[in-house]
Amino acid sequence: MLIDQCNRIVIKVGSSLIAPHNDGCSSQYLLSIANFIVRCRIKGIQVVLVSSGSVAAGAHLFDDADNVSMTIKKAMAAAGQSEMMATWDKLFDFNTAQLLMTHADLKDHSRYISIRDTLDVLLAKGILPIVNENDAVTTDKLKVGDNDNLSAMVATAANADALIICSDIDGLFTANPNLDPNSTLIKDVHSIDSRICIMASGSTSSVGTGGMITKIEAAEKAAAHGIDTFIINGFKEESFNAILSGENPGTHFHPNENPMHDKLHWFTHTTKAQGELIVDDGFEMEKQDSALVQPDDLVDICGEFGVGDVVHLRKKNGDKLAKVKTNYSSCFLEYLVKADSNQMASHLDETLEPILSEHEFDMVPLVSV
């Protein structure tokens, strides 16, 4: 995979590159990244920039920034976002655009398509989209949580050919290179399994919210959509020179040979389960694309969710069966579970719709864990 063969790429830049000294934005490491973006555009490659750093950029404006409430962090994000955008804007001689989003925007398919349309128009007009999570307003329930995973969701929404995730180390190592001098860089990953996840679990950043594990999660999402993903050292200018020269300076996660259909990928990797439907251990799914759950099959409901929300379907023993959309709220389904079945039968059996939606891509089978 050569970057200069791509039509469109997404590059993700983390907080430690934006505000490395915890005193506001710095162009120290951003100059080489901006130069890379300019060189890509000269080659005719469209670029989307996913930039973390609003909280880190705004922290220096607040007293006692090491021990603050979530409300203060949101205020930091609001103040830091404008400083971060101003820093990026001065590094380019072309127009930029700010796109702030939460997971609520991505999990709604119509809004997801709206994001894609906006990106398409901006890129067609030669404007650089700069994307970040809207940390100033998001809540725990509505946030993606880290911009590694956000960048993968943006890459799939944008139909990108490649995703470049900038890290503070050269890529994925066999062990944490800061602790183990004998660790070695893994240049190519063709399949993400438990072994890869174990290798990734030891690396964290002192500034950002993610570590190597969130980058692996992002790579898995991107690979399922047919997107090449590179984790590179964003602190080294030579990383960007190498990748533009057709070399792999870090770890290359190769895409799946049979990428998921776009909407199936969105349902699998972008929607977030709001709860669980628990069925009896003897329940069997009748078809690969449909799970006909009857009131008698339900034994418990976990979480709070509404009509049309995505939930997990699992057995009482813990085996996960599917990720599904529900036709009923958790409140009503709890009523069904707790009510006397004989009393319910007379007025519900003929009127009750299927518990789960049966439309295309409203259910994804899961491997039992």
Side-chain angles (χ1 to χ4, degrees), residues 118-255:
T118 301
L119 289 170
D120 284 343
V121 172
L122 290 171
L123 292 169
K125 294 295 183 182
I127 300 170
L128 173 68
I130 301 179
V131 181
N132 193 11
E133 184 154 20
N134 195 351
D135 293 318
V137 301
T138 193
T139 62
D140 286 342
K141 188 174 182 179
L142 298 179
K143 69 181 180 180
V144 176
D146 67 272
N147 273 8
D148 294 322
N149 278 286
L150 177 64
S151 69
M153 295 177 190
V154 170
T156 57
N159 280 323
D161 302 298
L163 169 63
I164 300 172
I165 301 177
C166 296
S167 181
D168 54 0
I169 56 177
D170 291 342
L172 176 64
F173 284 76
T174 54
N176 189 333
N178 297 318
L179 301 175
D180 185 353
N182 296 318
S183 63
T184 58
L185 177 66
I186 300 173
K187 297 293 289 183
D188 293 277
V189 175
H190 293 272
S191 177
I192 297 174
D193 52 23
S194 58
R195 182 179 63 91
I196 296 296
C197 294
I198 290 171
M199 291 178 188
S201 62
S203 177
T204 59
S205 169
S206 61
V207 179
T209 56
M212 187 57 66
I213 192 65
T214 59
K215 293 170 177 57
I216 301 302
E217 292 169 354
E220 185 174 26
K221 287 180 173 66
H225 200 265
I227 299 171
D228 287 89
T229 302
F230 297 86
I231 297 178
I232 67 172
N233 193 325
F235 289 84
K236 295 180 179 179
E237 184 176 0
E238 53 265 34
S239 298
F240 302 103
N241 294 333
I243 206 166
L244 273 175
S245 300
E247 301 172 17
N248 173 16
T251 301
H252 179 193
F253 294 83
H254 295 259

Side-chain angles (χ1 to χ4, degrees), residues 172-358:
L172 176 64
F173 284 76
T174 54
N176 189 333
N178 297 318
L179 301 175
D180 185 353
N182 296 318
S183 63
T184 58
L185 177 66
I186 300 173
K187 297 293 289 183
D188 293 277
V189 175
H190 293 272
S191 177
I192 297 174
D193 52 23
S194 58
R195 182 179 63 91
I196 296 296
C197 294
I198 290 171
M199 291 178 188
S201 62
S203 177
T204 59
S205 169
S206 61
V207 179
T209 56
M212 187 57 66
I213 192 65
T214 59
K215 293 170 177 57
I216 301 302
E217 292 169 354
E220 185 174 26
K221 287 180 173 66
H225 200 265
I227 299 171
D228 287 89
T229 302
F230 297 86
I231 297 178
I232 67 172
N233 193 325
F235 289 84
K236 295 180 179 179
E237 184 176 0
E238 53 265 34
S239 298
F240 302 103
N241 294 333
I243 206 166
L244 273 175
S245 300
E247 301 172 17
N248 173 16
T251 301
H252 179 193
F253 294 83
H254 295 259
N256 294 2
E257 292 184 2
N258 298 305
M260 285 183 173
H261 182 285
D262 187 64
K263 193 172 182 183
L264 178 60
H265 185 280
W266 165 80
F267 188 80
T268 304
H269 291 289
T270 302
T271 61
K272 185 184 294 185
Q274 302 299 313
E276 291 184 320
L277 303 181
I278 314 301
V279 294
D280 189 81
D281 290 344
F283 175 82
E284 296 294 336
M285 291 170 57
E286 297 184 11
K287 296 191 298 182
Q288 193 67 350
D289 61 348
S290 177
L292 298 178
V293 179
Q294 300 300 322
D296 288 346
D297 295 320
L298 295 173
V299 296
D300 201 4
I301 307 297
C302 295
E304 295 183 4
F305 48 85
V307 176
D309 277 348
V310 175
V311 297
H312 280 143
L313 176 68
R314 72 170 174 86
K315 292 184 178 182
K316 190 176 181 180
N317 65 11
D319 288 350
K320 291 182 180 179
L321 297 175
K323 191 177 186 182
V324 298
K325 273 188 180 180
T326 172
N327 285 329
Y328 297 96
S329 69
S330 56
C331 181
F332 180 73
L333 291 178
E334 284 177 356
Y335 174 65
L336 286 185
V337 170
K338 295 175 182 178
D340 186 299
S341 58
N342 293 325
Q343 294 177 352
M344 299 289 292
S346 60
H347 61 278
L348 279 182
D349 279 356
E350 295 183 0
T351 60
L352 191 66
E353 295 180 3
I355 300 296
L356 306 181
S357 297
E358 295 184 77

Side-chain angles (χ1 to χ4, degrees), residues 8 41 46-48 95 97 99 113-129 157-158:
R8 183 176 292 181
R41 286 167 57 100
Q46 295 178 331
V47 181
V48 177
N95 291 323
L99 271 76
I113 296 300
S114 178
I115 291 169
R116 170 175 293 174
D117 293 342
T118 301
L119 289 170
D120 284 343
V121 172
L122 290 171
L123 292 169
K125 294 295 183 182
I127 300 170
L128 173 68

Side-chain angles (χ1 to χ4, degrees), residues 18-29:
I18 298 289
H21 310 298
N22 295 306
D23 59 355
C25 292
S26 168
S27 61
Q28 180 179 355
Y29 300 111

